[in-house]
Amino acid sequence: MSASKVAVVTGANKGVGYGIVEGLCKKFDGTIYLTARSENRGKAALAKLKELGFSPLFHQLDITDQESVDRFKEYIKSRHDGLDLLVNNAAIKYIHQLDTEHNSSANATELAVEEAEKTLEVNYYGTLRVCQALFPLLRNNARVVNISSASGRLCNIPSADLKAKFNDPNLTFEGVNKLMEKFIKDTKENRAEQEGWGTAYIASKVGLTALTFIQQRIFDKEVPNRNISINAVHPGFVDTDMSEHKGNLTVEQGARAPLYTALEANLKGKYIWFDSKVVDWAASPSP
């Protein structure tokens, strides 16, 4: 059983996740796991890194599949008996194609529900699933980085009532789950806009960021305390498939704030901007 430090990055076969793995290969002294839903794409990314002289390992991980998550948990537990760094990067920005020729309000609602369910299943529930499985394996002084977004800033939620609920210092896991369930319900009832939610992507990333703060509060109360830190990071507008290659940052630049948070920063329960500065999650950006 390996006693070296262990790092895991989800959704790492391309984009910011790939950039984070490459950065860890240069700076992290330990075993690095590049994980991806697709075994073929994951191994192809691994081959690219090996051509650069790096030697991370690959393991298949579909964060929407409980069996896949459980297999990975048991693998890490049996092979390493612990984990020192977890970067929850896997995410989607689901875009449906509306058939304008056959468009109807019913069809539009159906597509909106599909977008809401698929987006939250990966960005919120999938990440939560991984955390629930791997958090018991975190070693003392381990770090967790949840890759959020500028869309994950609370000001993107139009409703003052929803903002207050997300920003409640007593908000619990169950409370965030109920808010996510409400978003799905409101979408199904064609009330999401009226209720002041914003887009599915915004709801998923605000939910993830709120979850991050709750997780840190729970870690802080652990007895004995393992000194776990967890932070949410906005990597910036990066030139990836997620941004439809409209981003102004390179993958390497997008990986900088996550890597800083994972390896250097002495922070707990913060929302960190792409320039590696802590920002107030609940405040609107300065003009």
Side-chain angles (χ1 to χ4, degrees):
M1 184 178 294
S2 171
S4 69
K5 287 191 174 184
V6 178
V8 169
V9 184
T10 69
N13 61 284
K14 63 179 180 178
V16 172
Y18 177 90
I20 292 170
V21 171
E22 183 176 349
L24 288 175
C25 288
K26 300 173 183 177
K27 298 180 179 181
F28 183 79
D29 183 17
T31 303
I32 303 161
Y33 282 93
L34 181 159
T35 73
R37 178 173 57 86
S38 164
E39 188 163 339
N40 288 339
R41 289 194 289 270
K43 288 183 175 179
L46 199 72
K48 285 173 58 181
L49 288 164
K50 288 189 175 181
E51 288 177 2
L52 296 174
F54 303 126
S55 55
L57 302 178
F58 170 75
H59 199 287
Q60 190 274 342
L61 177 62
D62 181 351
I63 70 171
T64 68
D65 181 348
Q66 188 66 55
E67 289 186 3
S68 175
V69 172
D70 289 343
R71 281 195 301 271
F72 183 61
K73 173 188 176 180
E74 291 307 315
Y75 176 85
I76 294 295
K77 184 177 181 180
S78 63
R79 184 77 178 269
H80 302 283
D81 197 34
L83 181 63
D84 300 277
L85 173 61
L86 171 62
V87 181
N88 286 309
N89 170 75
I92 63 168
K93 192 168 186 179
Y94 186 80
I95 302 174
H96 57 66
Q97 298 298 322
L98 184 63
D99 183 353
T100 54
E101 184 178 348
H102 301 95
N103 186 22
S104 67
S105 59
N107 187 42
T109 299
E110 183 179 314
L111 290 172
V113 170
E114 180 180 314
E115 178 182 349
E117 291 179 337
K118 288 183 180 294
T119 302
L120 265 64
E121 176 56 26
V122 177
N123 297 357
Y124 178 76
Y125 290 110
T127 301
L128 177 59
R129 185 177 293 112
V130 170
C131 291
Q132 289 173 329
L134 297 184
F135 276 8
L137 301 183
L138 292 174
R139 294 172 176 151
N140 291 348
N141 307 309
R143 296 186 174 198
V144 180
V145 179
N146 288 337
I147 302 300
S148 183
S149 166
S151 296
R153 200 165 185 172
L154 192 56
C155 61
N156 292 296
I157 298 285
S159 165
D161 180 60
L162 288 172
K163 285 178 185 174
K165 289 177 179 177
F166 276 113
N167 201 35
D168 183 347
N170 297 313
L171 186 65
T172 63
F173 284 131
E174 293 77 14
V176 183
N177 286 341
K178 286 180 180 178
L179 285 166
M180 296 294 96
E181 290 165 8
K182 174 175 167 54
F183 172 68
I184 298 293
K185 182 175 182 290
D186 287 344
T187 303
K188 288 179 177 179
E189 296 175 357
N190 201 23
R191 291 173 50 84
E193 183 176 356
Q194 179 182 336
E195 291 292 316
W197 275 102
T199 67
Y201 188 73
I202 286 172
S204 72
K205 288 297 188 177
V206 167
L208 175 62
T209 309
L211 178 68
T212 303
F213 303 145
I214 295 167
Q215 290 170 328
Q216 185 65 67
R217 291 199 294 268
I218 291 174
F219 282 138
D220 289 344
K221 294 177 182 177
E222 281 187 326
V223 179
N225 192 291
R226 291 179 291 165
N227 191 35
I228 308 297
S229 66
I230 177 165
N231 296 282
V233 179
H234 161 49
F237 192 36
V238 185
D239 180 7
T240 64
D241 289 349
M242 181 83 78
S243 69
E244 299 179 73
H245 296 282
K246 297 175 182 176
N248 62 327
L249 299 180
T250 65
V251 165
E252 182 181 16
Q253 290 171 325
R256 285 177 184 171
L259 287 167
Y260 167 75
T261 306
L263 301 175
E264 301 176 47
N266 185 22
L267 299 169
K268 289 184 176 182
K270 303 300 182 183
Y271 178 62
I272 300 161
W273 212 237
F274 70 92
D275 58 4
S276 297
K277 294 179 181 178
V278 174
V279 300
D280 185 345
W281 176 66
S284 297
S286 301

